[in-house]
Amino acid sequence: GEDVEQSLFLSVREGDSSVINCTYTDSSSTYLYWYKQEPGAGLQLLTYIFSNMDMKQDQRLTVLLNKKDKHLSLRIADTQTGDSAIYFCAESRDTGRRALTFGSGTRLQVQP
Amino acid sequence: ETGVTQTPRHLVMGMTNKKSLKCEQHLGHNAMYWYKQSAKKPLELMFVYNFKEQTENNSVPSRFSPECPNSSHLFLHLHTLQPEDSALYLCASSQDQGGATNEKLFFGSGTQLSVL
């Protein structure tokens, strides 16, 4: 299977919370990232978490990391229509290869 | 403004054409990357340059030829491409790939390539 897996699609109503999930396979992952891609644009770094942390909060964003289960999630509170985009999970590994490994992306659709 | 600029935004080419994609970063970074994004596959790393030296070639066909004349500029030369090469080609940069493991990437908006 893929090294980093995400569900393809999530639909929520405006004002609700969104939770986007990601699983990864490599236990040597050191940093895990969430990127956002809006239509016609490149990827924008939203937040990241070091592998020895369980949680990181940044305004409306909360990242949870379960290292035992190799599960990462991104919670967006009070989701807005401007949050509609594709969200990519990515990992970096301390194995000499420094470039990130990305998941396939989750398309978040926010309905008014 | 992300600090990473890619041109052209869109490119249509025939299989016998030769074209080049350009990327420029204004962030003072030392590492630059080419990624391919298509509907069928997640982001695929193609090449990595660190301090102008190629450090990774992810088994990319020779019809894609990268060039990095300095730390601010990266090119991807294209020749005799196939229709399956149609994709969004993304350039990215990061501070320094050689040391820290926390490599935050900054992406350009990409070049949407169509091969006819």
Side-chain angles (χ1 to χ4, degrees):
Chain A
E2 297 291 340
D3 294 326
V4 181
E5 291 192 354
Q6 302 178 238
S7 54
L8 292 180
F9 186 76
L10 175 65
S11 180
V12 300
R13 291 193 178 278
E14 191 173 16
D16 288 349
S17 292
S18 306
V19 180
I20 302 171
N21 295 301
C22 170
T23 57
Y24 59 98
T25 56
D26 198 313
S27 58
S28 68
S29 296
T30 52
Y31 285 90
L32 295 125
Y33 305 81
W34 285 103
Y35 282 81
K36 176 184 181 182
Q37 185 179 32
E38 298 185 19
L43 278 71
Q44 175 192 1
L45 178 63
L46 284 179
T47 186
Y48 64 93
I49 189 168
F50 186 48
S51 59
N52 69 352
M53 297 170 63
D54 298 325
M55 185 182 83
K56 180 178 180 180
Q57 188 154 2
D58 183 2
Q59 298 182 335
R60 292 191 297 123
L61 305 179
T62 302
V63 179
L64 295 177
L65 175 61
N66 182 330
K67 195 171 183 181
K68 173 177 172 291
D69 294 338
K70 299 187 182 68
H71 182 266
L72 181 75
S73 68
L74 174 68
R75 179 177 180 270
I76 305 172
D78 187 24
T79 312
Q80 302 298 306
T81 54
D83 294 324
S84 294
I86 302 175
Y87 290 81
F88 291 89
C89 166
E91 60 170 351
S92 68
R93 303 170 185 176
D94 190 15
T95 57
R97 178 185 175 180
R98 304 299 191 188
L100 302 184
T101 300
F102 286 86
S104 54
T106 299
R107 182 179 294 276
L108 174 64
Q109 182 180 69
V110 182
Q111 298 177 350
Chain B
E1 175 58 52
T2 64
V4 180
T5 304
Q6 289 187 244
T7 55
R9 291 295 307 272
H10 303 274
L11 178 63
V12 179
M13 60 186 290
M15 290 189 286
T16 58
N17 291 160
K18 289 184 180 181
K19 297 287 184 182
S20 295
L21 310 185
K22 179 182 176 183
C23 177
E24 183 175 0
Q25 57 96 0
H26 310 276
L27 301 169
H29 289 165
N30 296 309
M32 296 188 77
Y33 309 73
W34 280 116
Y35 278 89
K36 175 183 177 183
Q37 184 180 24
S38 63
K40 293 184 178 180
K41 288 188 176 181
L43 283 160
E44 296 178 80
L45 177 68
M46 299 177 72
F47 301 103
V48 182
Y49 279 81
N50 198 32
F51 292 95
K52 301 188 299 179
E53 298 298 320
Q54 188 179 118
T55 55
E56 286 196 46
N57 177 338
N58 198 25
S59 302
V60 180
S62 59
R63 58 185 183 270
F64 295 91
S65 175
E67 179 190 0
C68 189
N70 54 62
S71 293
S72 298
H73 293 86
L74 184 65
F75 296 89
L76 188 63
H77 304 299
L78 316 171
H79 64 98
T80 59
L81 294 191
Q82 305 298 311
E84 59 264 29
D85 296 322
S86 298
L88 180 68
Y89 288 85
L90 291 165
C91 173
S93 70
S94 68
Q95 179 63 41
D96 182 351
Q97 205 206 25
T101 57
N102 186 6
E103 290 294 336
K104 296 188 284 289
L105 298 182
F106 292 79
F107 283 83
S109 298
T111 295
Q112 185 66 54
L113 174 67
S114 297
V115 181
L116 304 179

